[in-house]
Amino acid sequence: MSDYDGNFMDDLSPLSSPNIRGLIAMLDQNNNDRNPISETFPETNLSTNPQSEQRSGCLRESLAARRGFDIPPLEIGSVSPFANSFRNPILVPSPILVISPGFRSPLLQSPNIFSNSSSQIIPPCPIPNGAPPEMVQISSAGDQTMIIPNNNHPQGVVVETDVMNHISLENGCEEDDMDREYNQEKDKVEDHNVVVEPSSRKKRKMVVSNMMGVTRQNGTDMVIIQVESEEDHPDDGFRWRKYGRKVVTGNANPRSYYRCTYTGCKVTKHVERSAASMKLVVATYDGIHEHAPPPERIKKSGTKNQSGSSMSQDPSNQTLGLGRPHYSSSASQLFPSALAPQMDMTQFHFYGLSKLPSLPVKKNHERKIDHVIPDGTEVFKVIWEQLFG
DNA sequence: CGATTTTGACCTGCGC
DNA sequence: GCGCAGGTCAAAATCG
């Protein structure tokens, strides 16, 4: 039996899993004079399109001024060297949070930090004063949001954003007042840089956002994660059986469909290479594992993991880190087990990571990944510092 | 021989 | 009603 099987349930004591309401109350106490994130996050998006930046920027500032806060000016150069490649006004640049091989972050594994969020009304989280736009937003349940200031990360999380392109097309997804206000005004702006037609019910379900987000949608258990991986099916700790493969429109790379092989588990996922970059694998998880990951199979030396179904003894292997955690991972080194926040990432969406309009794929145009998080735990560390630091 | 992948056919929902 | 697209089924093939 693995460490995980033996210990992880013991780590899930109520005290070790402060609920989000409590977390945010703590934040409020520490950040009384700061703007709530729910009002702030539209400004976290950056434009890389000079024209739309000009127009949307004015709108953004106008809206922000009405809300009583300032928006720091954007320096394009501080965002990403390939930000300028997104200039097509009808395309939404994909958010990029590049997670390197070996990613098995507690951020993606702890099951409870935002648990039961759909039924709660959560006060908005504050963010630091003067927070720059280069930040990773973590949001949940529409009214739960965390933002990770990008520049707090020692190596800089790669986040490409485009000004206020947060368009929720979720059927029944509630916009907050500012979003609604913004979208109404945005519609008046010609040549705004997003055109997304909700042409079907499935498409309506998607949320287009150029920011990296972690959000749980009411009534859904879908998570979309994009990672850099050479493997077509990166290890996520669970065992999967492939049951289908399909080429979908907008992506020449086939999508593979997997089902969790655990008896009774109905979690499915599909995995495809990003149309924008062959380096990126987009995994969409549907459902929540109600079981622990199976013990890791012992990989015989010299044999390939034939199934591609995610079992490996090699800690350097690619992981997506969904489901419940192996606390033998670096997570347990970052936090004492009793403090390690619990969050099941199958309860969140990473908006805009896969359901975005296709990016232009240019031959000989290689999108450079200039910053890669060496270990996903760093992402969580940043969140943790924001919450309790 | 069991587990897993492959792949064409089929099903379902949606827009027109 | 038809066509399209996404998702699933299931028999055959493959692998260890």
Side-chain angles (χ1 to χ4, degrees), chain A residues 181-383:
Chain A
E181 206 171 339
Y182 166 70
N183 284 329
Q184 286 171 357
E185 293 210 28
K186 179 166 63 74
D187 288 341
K188 302 173 187 172
V189 180
E190 290 182 6
D191 192 31
H192 54 74
N193 59 356
V194 178
V195 176
V196 179
E197 295 295 335
S199 59
S200 70
R201 194 174 67 176
K202 286 172 185 172
K203 288 179 181 176
R204 278 198 302 272
K205 191 176 179 180
M206 77 184 187
V207 170
V208 175
S209 170
N210 54 2
M211 59 195 163
M212 187 277 178
V214 185
T215 304
R216 179 187 180 187
Q217 293 261 324
N218 291 340
T220 64
D221 293 314
M222 189 174 285
V223 181
I224 302 169
I225 292 181
Q226 180 171 299
V227 298
E228 183 184 20
S229 174
E230 292 182 2
E231 293 185 17
D232 289 335
H233 184 208
D235 178 13
D236 62 5
F238 288 87
R239 189 174 298 171
W240 303 91
R241 175 167 299 169
K242 190 175 185 177
Y243 66 88
R245 180 181 157 105
K246 192 92 172 179
V247 176
V248 299
T249 55
N251 190 349
N253 306 309
R255 173 182 296 175
S256 295
Y257 296 88
Y258 298 88
R259 186 176 287 134
C260 182
T261 62
Y262 187 89
T263 306
C265 181
K266 294 178 180 177
V267 176
T268 62
K269 71 172 180 179
H270 58 253
V271 179
E272 63 192 292
R273 290 215 167 267
S274 167
S277 172
M278 289 294 288
K279 292 178 178 179
L280 300 177
V281 174
V282 178
T284 303
Y285 290 77
D286 191 3
I288 300 173
H289 296 283
E290 300 290 345
H291 58 91
E296 297 188 8
R297 266 185 259 162
I298 295 175
K299 185 154 66 173
K300 295 173 185 173
S301 64
T303 61
K304 191 185 174 198
N305 187 358
Q306 174 250 342
S307 68
S309 63
S310 73
M311 293 297 103
S312 168
Q313 290 287 96
D314 182 357
S316 69
N317 257 11
Q318 323 277 346
T319 68
L320 288 177
L322 280 182
R324 293 186 171 159
H326 292 268
Y327 278 118
S328 57
S329 71
S330 53
S332 59
Q333 295 161 17
L334 263 179
F335 305 99
S337 61
L339 289 178
Q342 311 297 304
M343 176 169 66
D344 187 343
M345 287 305 298
T346 60
Q347 299 185 32
F348 296 87
H349 295 264
F350 278 82
Y351 283 149
L353 292 180
S354 76
K355 297 278 188 174
L356 291 169
S358 301
L359 292 165
V361 180
K362 297 178 184 175
K363 288 182 179 178
N364 304 322
H365 173 65
E366 194 169 317
R367 299 176 65 191
K368 280 181 57 182
I369 306 299
D370 58 339
H371 292 87
V372 175
I373 303 170
D375 185 327
T377 56
E378 291 292 340
V379 179
F380 179 78
K381 199 174 172 182
V382 173
I383 295 175

Side-chain angles (χ1 to χ4, degrees), chain A residues 91-113:
Chain A
L91 295 173
V92 182
S94 174
I96 295 177
L97 173 69
V98 179
I99 299 171
S100 70
F103 183 38
R104 190 190 283 277
S105 167
L107 166 66
L108 299 182
Q109 296 179 342
S110 305
N112 296 331
I113 192 169

Side-chain angles (χ1 to χ4, degrees), chain A residues 115-159:
Chain A
S115 64
N116 301 320
S117 56
S118 64
S119 60
Q120 295 179 335
I121 297 175
I122 307 295
C125 306
I127 61 169
N129 266 337
E134 305 90 335
M135 45 177 60
V136 178
Q137 176 186 317
I138 307 294
S139 64
S140 171
D143 46 14
Q144 274 185 50
T145 304
M146 286 199 299
I147 293 179
I148 312 168
N150 190 21
N151 61 350
N152 276 10
H153 191 280
Q155 298 196 26
V157 177
V158 176
V159 180

